[in-house]
Amino acid sequence: MTGLSTLPMAMAAGAPLLVPDRPAMREIIRHRQNGLIYRPDTPSILADLLASLLRSDPAWRRTLGAAARRYVLDHHAEAVVAGAFAGLLRRLCEVGEDADQFAENRTAPEY
């Protein structure tokens, strides 16, 4: 799975992941902690990692998958994202109030 939109779904399902080394993927996947990362220009390494994953101890695959699930639930669950969005909106409203004060008083707001 390489699509960023499908990544959280696969993680939530507890799947052991093998993803290309891209900045967005590195933000979420930690190599050998909650998934495996390969360089896209190295098909032999991809093949080796895939074979290693398939032949590995099932407990290790479950551990990778469980860590991926834990990460996505801790960082990308609906309540977490909604809380972060609400915080952003609060900060934007505060900046808006400061901007209104600045316009009325012609003094710069303090941050």
Side-chain angles (χ1 to χ4, degrees):
M1 304 198 124
T2 60
L4 190 54
S5 62
T6 58
L7 186 64
M9 289 186 282
M11 293 174 81
L17 301 170
L18 180 57
V19 301
D21 188 6
R22 299 279 187 240
M25 299 294 179
R26 283 192 306 265
E27 288 179 19
I28 298 172
I29 300 298
R30 302 293 178 260
H31 189 63
R32 298 197 177 275
Q33 292 177 21
N34 65 353
L36 300 174
I37 300 174
Y38 68 91
R39 285 190 18 222
D41 60 340
T42 55
S44 62
I45 291 176
L46 170 59
D48 290 346
L49 282 172
L50 183 57
S52 164
L53 189 61
L54 292 172
R55 284 184 283 201
S56 68
D57 178 14
W60 184 66
R61 290 193 303 267
R62 283 191 299 275
T63 298
L64 277 179
R69 179 174 170 74
R70 193 169 37 257
Y71 178 88
V72 80
L73 292 177
D74 289 347
H75 296 90
H76 296 278
E78 186 176 303
V80 173
V81 173
F85 187 67
L88 173 63
L89 288 176
R90 273 192 300 279
R91 287 193 304 277
L92 288 173
C93 288
E94 290 168 3
V95 168
E97 290 170 5
D98 288 342
D100 290 343
Q101 177 188 0
F102 174 74
E104 291 172 10
N105 301 328
R106 300 217 187 270
T107 58
E110 292 187 30
Y111 293 100

XYZ file of all heavy atoms in Angstrom:
852
model
N 0.847 -1.173 0.000
C 0.000 0.000 0.000
C 0.891 1.233 0.000
O 1.688 1.433 0.889
C -0.880 0.027 1.228
C -1.736 -1.184 1.421
S -3.059 -0.835 2.555
C -4.403 -1.274 1.503
N 0.722 2.059 -0.992
C 1.560 3.237 -1.063
C 0.776 4.529 -0.983
O 1.351 5.566 -0.792
C 2.395 3.223 -2.358
O 1.498 3.211 -3.466
C 3.323 2.037 -2.391
N -0.533 4.493 -1.143
C -1.322 5.715 -1.092
C -1.427 6.235 0.329
O -1.739 5.485 1.241
N -1.166 7.531 0.502
C -1.204 8.098 1.837
C -2.600 8.007 2.438
O -2.753 7.819 3.634
C -0.709 9.543 1.816
C -0.477 10.186 3.174
C 0.458 9.332 4.030
C 0.068 11.574 3.020
N -3.643 8.083 1.606
C -4.994 8.001 2.152
C -5.333 6.591 2.631
O -6.143 6.426 3.534
C -6.015 8.463 1.114
O -5.968 7.616 -0.016
N -4.724 5.574 2.058
C -5.002 4.204 2.491
C -4.102 3.777 3.643
O -4.405 2.809 4.332
C -4.818 3.204 1.335
O -3.487 3.312 0.839
C -5.810 3.457 0.218
N -3.040 4.502 3.865
C -2.095 4.120 4.909
C -2.737 4.071 6.295
O -2.607 3.056 6.990
C -0.879 5.054 4.894
C 0.252 4.691 5.831
C 0.874 3.354 5.449
C 1.309 5.780 5.801
N -3.447 5.115 6.738
C -4.068 5.029 8.066
C -5.072 3.883 8.185
O -5.195 3.273 9.246
C -4.755 6.392 8.239
C -4.028 7.305 7.322
C -3.611 6.450 6.163
N -5.776 3.578 7.098
C -6.734 2.457 7.143
C -6.007 1.133 7.337
O -6.436 0.291 8.131
C -7.582 2.427 5.879
C -8.577 3.564 5.811
S -9.693 3.437 4.407
C -8.642 4.023 3.089
N -4.912 0.945 6.628
C -4.138 -0.285 6.780
C -3.537 -0.373 8.169
O -3.503 -1.444 8.786
C -3.046 -0.351 5.718
N -3.082 0.772 8.675
C -2.507 0.795 10.019
C -3.571 0.460 11.057
O -3.329 -0.307 11.982
C -1.883 2.167 10.303
C -0.663 2.453 9.454
S -0.025 4.129 9.675
C 0.908 3.910 11.200
N -4.762 1.049 10.910
C -5.847 0.789 11.856
C -6.263 -0.674 11.837
O -6.698 -1.214 12.856
C -7.042 1.684 11.546
N -6.086 -1.325 10.704
C -6.414 -2.745 10.593
C -5.343 -3.624 11.222
O -5.529 -4.828 11.361
C -6.605 -3.128 9.126
N -4.208 -3.020 11.588
C -3.143 -3.789 12.216
C -2.283 -4.557 11.230
O -1.637 -5.531 11.599
N -2.257 -4.077 9.990
C -1.460 -4.753 8.966
C 0.016 -4.384 9.106
O 0.343 -3.226 9.367
C -1.947 -4.351 7.577
N 0.927 -5.350 8.938
C 2.352 -4.995 8.876
C 2.598 -4.305 7.529
O 2.181 -4.810 6.493
C 3.067 -6.346 8.957
C 2.066 -7.344 8.496
C 0.708 -6.781 8.805
N 3.216 -3.163 7.538
C 3.315 -2.333 6.346
C 4.702 -2.310 5.745
O 5.706 -2.322 6.454
C 2.892 -0.904 6.687
C 1.476 -0.767 7.226
C 1.252 0.631 7.768
C 0.470 -1.106 6.170
N 4.724 -2.208 4.431
C 5.948 -2.056 3.650
C 5.689 -0.880 2.718
O 4.852 -0.974 1.819
C 6.224 -3.340 2.866
C 7.449 -3.401 1.981
C 8.714 -3.110 2.770
C 7.550 -4.761 1.322
N 6.343 0.254 2.980
C 6.042 1.493 2.258
C 7.296 2.077 1.633
O 8.402 1.868 2.124
C 5.378 2.536 3.187
C 4.094 2.007 3.784
C 6.327 2.991 4.278
N 7.124 2.863 0.530
C 8.289 3.517 -0.079
C 8.801 4.654 0.795
O 8.047 5.266 1.547
C 7.744 4.040 -1.410
C 6.285 4.218 -1.180
C 5.883 3.158 -0.189
N 10.077 4.922 0.684
C 10.719 5.991 1.450
C 10.362 7.329 0.820
O 11.007 7.800 -0.112
C 12.231 5.779 1.460
C 12.938 6.736 2.400
O 12.256 7.482 3.120
O 14.176 6.722 2.418
N 9.305 7.925 1.335
C 8.829 9.246 0.913
C 8.629 10.085 2.168
O 8.320 9.548 3.228
C 7.501 9.135 0.165
C 7.556 8.314 -1.092
C 8.115 9.171 -2.218
N 8.023 8.480 -3.481
C 9.074 8.189 -4.222
N 10.283 8.521 -3.814
N 8.934 7.583 -5.364
N 8.792 11.405 2.072
C 8.663 12.241 3.272
C 7.357 12.004 4.040
O 7.378 11.885 5.261
C 8.749 13.663 2.721
C 9.599 13.531 1.501
C 9.201 12.200 0.904
N 6.231 11.939 3.355
C 4.952 11.744 4.048
C 4.913 10.396 4.767
O 4.351 10.282 5.854
C 3.795 11.847 3.060
N 5.520 9.382 4.176
C 5.540 8.057 4.798
C 6.448 8.050 6.027
O 6.123 7.458 7.045
C 6.020 6.995 3.813
C 5.154 6.844 2.591
S 3.523 6.222 3.011
C 2.781 6.185 1.404
N 7.588 8.751 5.925
C 8.526 8.801 7.058
C 7.937 9.529 8.261
O 8.378 9.324 9.384
C 9.834 9.465 6.636
C 10.733 8.555 5.830
C 12.130 9.162 5.688
N 12.118 10.509 5.150
C 12.283 10.817 3.874
N 12.458 9.874 2.988
N 12.268 12.073 3.490
N 6.954 10.405 8.019
C 6.300 11.084 9.133
C 5.470 10.110 9.972
O 5.222 10.362 11.147
C 5.384 12.196 8.624
C 6.133 13.388 8.079
C 5.192 14.459 7.566
O 4.013 14.460 7.947
O 5.655 15.299 6.779
N 5.039 9.027 9.361
C 4.122 8.093 10.021
C 4.790 6.769 10.373
O 4.586 6.225 11.456
C 2.901 7.844 9.115
C 2.143 9.155 8.887
C 1.980 6.800 9.716
C 1.047 9.060 7.865
N 5.585 6.252 9.465
C 6.188 4.928 9.643
C 7.604 5.067 10.186
O 8.401 5.843 9.678
C 6.225 4.151 8.310
C 4.805 3.954 7.765
C 6.938 2.809 8.476
C 3.902 3.137 8.665
N 7.899 4.306 11.215
C 9.244 4.198 11.772
C 9.759 2.807 11.424
O 9.183 1.806 11.849
C 9.233 4.381 13.304
C 8.649 5.679 13.780
C 9.524 6.878 13.380
N 8.949 8.133 13.798
C 8.268 8.952 12.990
N 8.071 8.636 11.738
N 7.788 10.091 13.448
N 10.832 2.782 10.627
C 11.358 1.521 10.108
C 11.625 0.517 11.231
O 12.296 0.833 12.217
C 12.637 1.780 9.303
C 13.136 0.583 8.562
N 12.414 -0.018 7.566
C 14.275 -0.124 8.690
C 13.096 -1.047 7.103
N 14.241 -1.136 7.771
N 11.056 -0.647 11.063
C 11.170 -1.787 11.987
C 10.503 -1.551 13.345
O 10.639 -2.348 14.249
C 12.615 -2.230 12.169
C 13.251 -2.709 10.880
C 14.499 -3.525 11.126
N 15.032 -4.008 9.871
C 14.650 -5.120 9.245
N 13.718 -5.868 9.763
N 15.196 -5.476 8.106
N 9.778 -0.428 13.481
C 9.021 -0.188 14.715
C 7.524 -0.372 14.470
O 6.850 -1.054 15.230
C 9.290 1.208 15.255
C 10.696 1.388 15.750
C 10.947 2.810 16.215
O 10.029 3.558 16.527
N 12.212 3.193 16.254
N 7.011 0.277 13.399
C 5.598 0.091 13.066
C 5.397 -0.180 11.578
O 4.308 -0.050 11.050
C 4.762 1.292 13.525
C 5.115 2.575 12.804
O 6.074 2.635 12.044
N 4.344 3.613 13.064
N 6.463 -0.563 10.913
C 6.413 -0.896 9.494
C 7.819 -0.982 8.932
O 8.799 -0.836 9.658
N 7.885 -1.227 7.639
C 9.174 -1.310 6.943
C 9.182 -0.293 5.818
O 8.171 -0.091 5.145
C 9.389 -2.716 6.372
C 9.393 -3.858 7.381
C 9.462 -5.207 6.659
C 10.550 -3.712 8.349
N 10.325 0.347 5.610
C 10.477 1.368 4.575
C 11.549 0.911 3.593
O 12.604 0.433 4.000
C 10.877 2.719 5.195
C 9.798 3.189 6.182
C 11.109 3.769 4.109
C 10.174 4.450 6.943
N 11.254 1.068 2.308
C 12.239 0.728 1.280
C 12.452 1.919 0.355
O 11.578 2.764 0.206
C 11.798 -0.488 0.463
C 10.586 -0.230 -0.407
C 10.728 0.206 -1.719
C 9.306 -0.395 0.094
C 9.622 0.462 -2.511
C 8.193 -0.145 -0.689
C 8.358 0.286 -1.989
O 7.268 0.549 -2.771
N 13.637 2.010 -0.222
C 13.916 3.047 -1.218
C 13.294 2.619 -2.538
O 13.552 1.516 -3.014
C 15.422 3.252 -1.374
C 16.007 4.011 -0.211
C 17.441 4.456 -0.401
N 17.909 4.470 -1.763
C 19.115 4.037 -2.145
N 19.972 3.577 -1.258
N 19.469 4.085 -3.406
N 12.492 3.486 -3.156
C 11.793 3.100 -4.385
C 12.705 2.701 -5.539
O 12.310 1.940 -6.404
C 10.992 4.353 -4.754
C 10.894 5.140 -3.512
C 12.109 4.817 -2.695
N 13.935 3.184 -5.545
C 14.851 2.884 -6.652
C 15.657 1.608 -6.412
O 16.633 1.357 -7.111
C 15.778 4.071 -6.904
C 16.633 4.428 -5.693
O 16.271 4.033 -4.567
O 17.655 5.112 -5.878
N 15.251 0.804 -5.434
C 15.984 -0.426 -5.122
C 15.014 -1.617 -5.089
O 14.657 -2.102 -4.015
C 16.704 -0.308 -3.770
O 15.734 0.044 -2.769
C 17.796 0.751 -3.807
N 14.618 -2.095 -6.265
C 13.658 -3.204 -6.298
C 14.178 -4.469 -5.612
O 13.394 -5.229 -5.038
C 13.399 -3.439 -7.785
C 14.466 -2.703 -8.510
C 14.996 -1.638 -7.593
N 15.477 -4.669 -5.606
C 16.005 -5.865 -4.950
C 15.813 -5.785 -3.435
O 15.518 -6.786 -2.780
C 17.477 -6.086 -5.300
O 18.250 -4.990 -4.848
N 15.971 -4.586 -2.873
C 15.749 -4.413 -1.431
C 14.268 -4.580 -1.115
O 13.907 -5.203 -0.112
C 16.286 -3.053 -0.952
C 17.811 -3.070 -1.026
C 15.816 -2.752 0.467
C 18.473 -1.763 -0.670
N 13.410 -4.055 -1.977
C 11.970 -4.253 -1.791
C 11.646 -5.744 -1.773
O 10.934 -6.228 -0.887
C 11.184 -3.547 -2.891
C 9.686 -3.859 -2.960
C 8.983 -3.489 -1.669
C 9.061 -3.148 -4.152
N 12.196 -6.480 -2.721
C 11.947 -7.919 -2.781
C 12.462 -8.619 -1.523
O 11.773 -9.486 -0.961
C 12.601 -8.512 -4.030
N 13.649 -8.223 -1.078
C 14.214 -8.830 0.138
C 13.356 -8.529 1.364
O 13.113 -9.410 2.192
C 15.644 -8.329 0.385
C 16.639 -8.868 -0.627
O 16.303 -9.828 -1.357
O 17.747 -8.303 -0.692
N 12.916 -7.280 1.494
C 12.081 -6.912 2.641
C 10.739 -7.642 2.609
O 10.257 -8.114 3.641
C 11.849 -5.399 2.686
C 12.993 -4.559 3.213
C 12.698 -3.076 3.011
C 13.251 -4.856 4.676
N 10.156 -7.740 1.433
C 8.882 -8.445 1.308
C 9.050 -9.920 1.656
O 8.264 -10.485 2.427
C 8.313 -8.282 -0.098
C 6.956 -8.915 -0.346
C 5.912 -8.391 0.626
C 6.515 -8.660 -1.778
N 10.099 -10.538 1.139
C 10.363 -11.945 1.466
C 10.627 -12.106 2.959
O 10.124 -13.053 3.588
C 11.556 -12.453 0.648
N 11.382 -11.180 3.524
C 11.672 -11.223 4.953
C 10.390 -11.102 5.773
O 10.194 -11.827 6.751
C 12.636 -10.075 5.294
O 12.675 -9.843 6.666
N 9.521 -10.205 5.360
C 8.254 -10.021 6.064
C 7.392 -11.286 5.976
O 6.825 -11.731 6.974
C 7.510 -8.822 5.481
C 6.267 -8.344 6.205
C 6.597 -7.898 7.618
C 5.627 -7.198 5.438
N 7.339 -11.864 4.805
C 6.515 -13.067 4.622
C 7.076 -14.281 5.362
O 6.319 -15.132 5.827
C 6.372 -13.382 3.126
C 5.555 -12.362 2.333
C 5.631 -12.663 0.849
C 4.120 -12.319 2.813
N 8.405 -14.373 5.463
C 9.021 -15.518 6.140
C 9.253 -15.287 7.627
O 9.650 -16.209 8.336
C 10.375 -15.833 5.489
C 10.249 -16.547 4.163
C 11.614 -16.883 3.676
N 12.153 -15.620 3.160
C 13.127 -15.500 2.305
N 13.761 -16.551 1.892
N 13.524 -14.345 1.865
N 9.009 -14.076 8.085
C 9.332 -13.751 9.470
C 8.384 -14.442 10.444
O 7.333 -14.956 10.079
C 9.279 -12.241 9.696
O 7.952 -11.787 9.595
N 8.784 -14.370 11.678
C 7.983 -14.900 12.774
C 6.629 -14.190 12.779
O 6.581 -12.950 12.782
C 8.751 -14.650 14.077
C 8.002 -15.105 15.309
O 7.006 -15.844 15.177
O 8.429 -14.717 16.408
N 5.528 -14.918 12.781
C 4.211 -14.287 12.807
C 4.044 -13.320 13.987
O 3.349 -12.308 13.870
C 3.239 -15.458 12.919
C 3.981 -16.616 12.341
C 5.424 -16.375 12.686
N 4.690 -13.608 15.098
C 4.597 -12.709 16.256
C 5.212 -11.352 15.932
O 4.699 -10.314 16.358
C 5.283 -13.334 17.468
N 6.302 -11.337 15.165
C 6.928 -10.075 14.779
C 6.010 -9.288 13.852
O 5.861 -8.074 13.994
C 8.279 -10.327 14.112
C 9.014 -9.063 13.775
C 9.514 -8.150 14.664
C 9.309 -8.554 12.479
N 10.123 -7.107 13.981
C 10.008 -7.334 12.653
C 9.073 -9.016 11.199
C 10.456 -6.574 11.572
C 9.523 -8.254 10.123
C 10.212 -7.052 10.325
N 5.358 -9.971 12.897
C 4.409 -9.293 12.015
C 3.258 -8.711 12.828
O 2.827 -7.588 12.595
C 3.886 -10.252 10.941
C 4.932 -10.627 9.913
C 4.317 -11.302 8.699
N 3.540 -12.494 9.007
C 4.018 -13.729 9.007
N 5.298 -13.943 8.717
N 3.235 -14.753 9.268
N 2.770 -9.474 13.805
C 1.687 -8.966 14.660
C 2.161 -7.762 15.478
O 1.420 -6.800 15.668
C 1.157 -10.059 15.584
C 0.247 -11.054 14.880
C -0.477 -11.956 15.862
N 0.416 -12.774 16.668
C 0.921 -13.946 16.292
N 0.600 -14.455 15.114
N 1.711 -14.618 17.087
N 3.411 -7.804 15.946
C 3.965 -6.683 16.714
C 4.050 -5.428 15.847
O 3.676 -4.337 16.289
C 5.360 -7.048 17.270
O 5.199 -8.156 18.158
C 5.999 -5.891 17.997
N 4.538 -5.570 14.604
C 4.587 -4.422 13.684
C 3.189 -3.869 13.443
O 2.960 -2.662 13.490
C 5.187 -4.827 12.334
C 6.694 -4.868 12.187
C 7.061 -5.314 10.774
C 7.315 -3.527 12.480
N 2.253 -4.774 13.170
C 0.875 -4.355 12.904
C 0.232 -3.691 14.110
O -0.471 -2.682 13.975
N 0.468 -4.227 15.286
C -0.100 -3.647 16.509
C 0.484 -2.264 16.771
O -0.232 -1.343 17.188
C 0.152 -4.568 17.701
N 1.779 -2.099 16.517
C 2.415 -0.790 16.706
C 1.855 0.221 15.699
O 1.634 1.389 16.046
C 3.930 -0.908 16.573
N 1.620 -0.231 14.474
C 1.029 0.653 13.465
C -0.375 1.066 13.896
O -0.739 2.242 13.814
C 0.994 -0.050 12.107
N -1.161 0.122 14.366
C -2.525 0.418 14.826
C -2.497 1.397 16.000
O -3.254 2.375 16.024
C -3.235 -0.871 15.222
C -4.643 -0.660 15.728
C -5.371 -1.983 15.973
N -6.606 -1.793 16.668
C -7.723 -1.305 16.157
N -7.744 -0.945 14.884
N -8.815 -1.169 16.880
N -1.619 1.153 16.952
C -1.511 2.029 18.113
C -1.150 3.456 17.678
O -1.716 4.433 18.158
C -0.464 1.474 19.078
C -0.456 2.103 20.439
C 0.418 1.344 21.443
N 1.651 0.777 20.916
C 1.845 -0.521 20.628
N 0.893 -1.408 20.820
N 2.999 -0.944 20.154
N -0.209 3.584 16.734
C 0.198 4.904 16.256
C -0.980 5.641 15.621
O -1.239 6.805 15.925
C 1.343 4.796 15.244
C 1.730 6.159 14.707
C 2.682 6.927 15.363
C 1.119 6.684 13.582
C 3.015 8.188 14.905
C 1.438 7.946 13.116
C 2.382 8.690 13.781
O 2.693 9.947 13.337
N -1.692 4.981 14.722
C -2.774 5.675 14.015
C -3.909 6.027 14.974
O -4.521 7.092 14.857
C -3.260 4.877 12.784
C -4.202 3.754 13.149
C -3.908 5.795 11.770
N -4.190 5.182 15.943
C -5.239 5.507 16.907
C -4.826 6.653 17.820
O -5.646 7.493 18.195
C -5.617 4.279 17.727
C -6.330 3.164 16.945
C -6.580 1.965 17.842
C -7.614 3.664 16.306
N -3.541 6.717 18.164
C -3.046 7.790 19.028
C -2.919 9.130 18.308
O -3.027 10.185 18.929
C -1.681 7.430 19.622
C -1.755 6.333 20.667
O -2.870 6.002 21.121
O -0.683 5.810 21.032
N -2.657 9.095 17.000
C -2.353 10.329 16.278
C -3.367 10.721 15.210
O -3.380 11.876 14.789
C -0.974 10.225 15.627
C 0.129 10.101 16.614
N 0.572 8.895 17.081
C 0.843 11.052 17.259
C 1.541 9.096 17.958
N 1.715 10.388 18.090
N -4.166 9.788 14.739
C -5.048 10.091 13.609
C -6.503 9.699 13.843
O -7.296 9.742 12.912
C -4.529 9.407 12.336
C -3.195 9.918 11.918
N -3.026 11.070 11.189
C -1.943 9.461 12.174
C -1.742 11.288 11.003
N -1.057 10.332 11.581
N -6.849 9.340 15.053
C -8.242 9.004 15.345
C -9.099 10.261 15.224
O -8.613 11.386 15.372
C -8.366 8.403 16.744
N -10.365 10.066 14.974
C -11.291 11.181 14.758
C -11.241 12.200 15.901
O -11.176 13.405 15.667
C -12.701 10.625 14.600
C -13.734 11.653 14.235
C -15.086 11.019 14.010
O -15.193 10.122 13.156
O -16.033 11.422 14.698
N -11.262 11.735 17.124
C -11.253 12.651 18.274
C -9.950 13.445 18.333
O -9.959 14.636 18.667
C -11.470 11.879 19.571
N -8.842 12.812 18.002
C -7.541 13.501 18.029
C -7.498 14.583 16.953
O -7.105 15.725 17.213
C -6.389 12.487 17.830
C -5.053 13.188 17.678
C -6.360 11.494 18.975
N -7.924 14.233 15.749
C -7.909 15.192 14.643
C -8.892 16.327 14.917
O -8.579 17.503 14.699
C -8.225 14.479 13.308
C -8.383 15.477 12.172
C -7.124 13.472 12.981
N -10.077 16.000 15.422
C -11.071 17.033 15.732
C -10.540 17.985 16.805
O -10.728 19.202 16.713
C -12.375 16.392 16.180
N -9.874 17.443 17.826
C -9.304 18.296 18.873
C -8.228 19.223 18.334
O -8.177 20.402 18.699
N -7.385 18.704 17.461
C -6.336 19.537 16.864
C -6.954 20.634 15.995
O -6.502 21.785 16.014
C -5.385 18.670 16.040
N -7.984 20.279 15.242
C -8.654 21.253 14.388
C -9.337 22.329 15.236
O -9.257 23.515 14.933
C -9.671 20.556 13.484
C -10.290 21.453 12.463
C -9.533 21.986 11.438
C -11.637 21.772 12.534
C -10.103 22.828 10.497
C -12.218 22.614 11.589
C -11.453 23.136 10.570
N -9.985 21.930 16.327
C -10.635 22.895 17.223
C -9.606 23.843 17.824
O -9.848 25.056 17.924
C -11.400 22.164 18.324
N -8.444 23.320 18.215
C -7.379 24.166 18.749
C -6.893 25.174 17.716
O -6.657 26.345 18.035
N -6.760 24.715 16.479
C -6.345 25.617 15.401
C -7.376 26.723 15.209
O -7.019 27.898 15.089
C -6.154 24.829 14.104
C -5.881 25.651 12.848
C -4.579 26.421 12.988
C -5.864 24.755 11.633
N -8.648 26.362 15.199
C -9.702 27.368 15.041
C -9.689 28.377 16.193
O -9.860 29.578 15.973
C -11.074 26.704 14.943
C -11.347 25.962 13.634
C -12.700 25.268 13.687
C -11.269 26.897 12.448
N -9.468 27.887 17.429
C -9.393 28.797 18.572
C -8.247 29.797 18.389
O -8.408 30.997 18.621
C -9.193 28.017 19.879
C -10.484 27.554 20.517
C -10.267 27.050 21.933
N -9.351 25.926 22.023
C -9.689 24.664 21.773
N -10.915 24.368 21.429
N -8.802 23.700 21.878
N -7.088 29.292 17.971
C -5.933 30.184 17.770
C -6.208 31.198 16.660
O -5.849 32.369 16.777
C -4.677 29.378 17.474
C -4.131 28.670 18.708
C -2.736 28.122 18.505
N -2.611 27.213 17.381
C -2.910 25.906 17.405
N -3.352 25.350 18.506
N -2.757 25.159 16.337
N -6.862 30.761 15.601
C -7.183 31.680 14.511
C -8.164 32.753 14.974
O -8.034 33.922 14.592
C -7.756 30.920 13.318
C -6.759 30.068 12.541
C -7.475 29.225 11.498
C -5.697 30.934 11.896
N -9.127 32.365 15.793
C -10.083 33.355 16.327
C -9.366 34.351 17.226
O -9.666 35.548 17.198
C -11.208 32.654 17.092
S -12.343 31.778 16.002
N -8.415 33.887 18.032
C -7.650 34.797 18.893
C -6.849 35.778 18.058
O -6.798 36.964 18.362
C -6.729 33.999 19.809
C -7.458 33.221 20.877
C -6.571 32.206 21.587
O -5.357 32.159 21.278
O -7.098 31.465 22.425
N -6.243 35.297 17.001
C -5.487 36.176 16.112
C -6.439 37.170 15.467
O -6.129 38.360 15.348
C -4.720 35.359 15.038
C -4.178 36.259 13.950
C -3.603 34.570 15.689
N -7.631 36.713 15.097
C -8.628 37.606 14.508
C -9.031 38.708 15.474
O -9.166 39.870 15.090
N -9.218 38.362 16.753
C -9.564 39.368 17.764
C -8.425 40.371 17.920
O -8.654 41.573 18.037
C -9.865 38.700 19.101
C -11.156 37.911 19.088
C -11.344 37.062 20.331
O -10.502 37.171 21.261
O -12.306 36.291 20.370
N -7.192 39.883 17.927
C -6.043 40.773 18.032
C -5.972 41.699 16.818
O -5.638 42.872 16.941
C -4.738 39.984 18.146
C -4.596 39.303 19.504
O -5.319 39.706 20.447
O -3.775 38.381 19.606
N -6.295 41.171 15.645
C -6.271 41.990 14.436
C -7.338 43.075 14.507
O -7.101 44.220 14.109
C -6.472 41.119 13.206
N -8.528 42.723 15.039
C -9.581 43.727 15.207
C -9.128 44.816 16.172
O -9.353 46.006 15.942
C -10.872 43.080 15.727
C -11.534 42.191 14.685
O -11.199 42.325 13.488
O -12.374 41.357 15.081
N -8.501 44.411 17.277
C -7.995 45.373 18.266
C -6.950 46.281 17.617
O -6.945 47.484 17.825
C -7.384 44.642 19.456
C -6.778 45.575 20.479
C -6.010 44.813 21.559
O -5.925 43.603 21.542
N -5.442 45.558 22.481
N -6.077 45.700 16.828
C -5.043 46.479 16.147
C -5.677 47.524 15.237
O -5.276 48.688 15.229
C -4.127 45.552 15.348
C -3.132 46.282 14.501
C -2.042 46.909 15.080
C -3.283 46.348 13.132
C -1.114 47.589 14.303
C -2.366 47.025 12.358
C -1.287 47.649 12.937
N -6.711 47.125 14.508
C -7.366 48.060 13.594
C -8.031 49.194 14.368
O -7.993 50.350 13.931
C -8.395 47.324 12.744
N -8.625 48.879 15.514
C -9.312 49.904 16.307
C -8.314 50.832 17.002
O -8.497 52.038 17.047
C -10.215 49.248 17.364
C -11.408 48.539 16.763
C -12.180 47.730 17.798
O -11.912 47.868 19.002
O -13.037 46.942 17.379
N -7.284 50.284 17.579
C -6.337 51.061 18.383
C -5.089 51.482 17.617
O -4.298 52.267 18.114
C -5.903 50.258 19.618
C -7.072 49.893 20.487
O -8.049 50.633 20.568
N -6.990 48.757 21.135
N -4.893 50.897 16.496
C -3.688 51.122 15.686
C -2.424 50.839 16.483
O -1.418 51.491 16.341
C -3.663 52.530 15.117
C -4.844 52.841 14.236
C -4.408 53.714 13.086
N -5.535 54.170 12.326
C -6.032 53.499 11.280
N -5.524 52.389 10.899
N -7.070 53.998 10.621
N -2.525 49.838 17.361
C -1.330 49.368 18.084
C -1.161 47.889 17.760
O -2.134 47.167 17.601
C -1.476 49.538 19.599
O -2.628 48.817 20.038
C -1.623 50.994 19.980
N 0.060 47.498 17.665
C 0.346 46.102 17.319
C -0.026 45.185 18.488
O 0.259 45.507 19.638
C 1.815 45.935 16.974
N -0.675 44.076 18.203
C -0.983 43.119 19.274
C 0.295 42.446 19.764
O 1.259 42.300 19.019
C -1.904 42.102 18.591
C -1.600 42.218 17.142
C -1.152 43.640 16.919
N 0.310 42.065 21.039
C 1.462 41.356 21.591
C 1.234 39.859 21.493
O 0.162 39.378 21.846
C 1.664 41.768 23.043
C 2.112 43.206 23.182
C 2.464 43.550 24.607
O 2.899 42.646 25.352
O 2.284 44.713 24.966
N 2.250 39.161 21.039
C 2.153 37.697 20.916
C 3.126 37.049 21.857
O 4.126 37.493 22.182
C 2.428 37.249 19.484
C 1.357 37.698 18.536
C 1.526 38.809 17.740
C 0.155 37.002 18.463
C 0.537 39.210 16.868
C -0.839 37.419 17.587
C -0.634 38.517 16.799
O -1.623 38.905 15.952
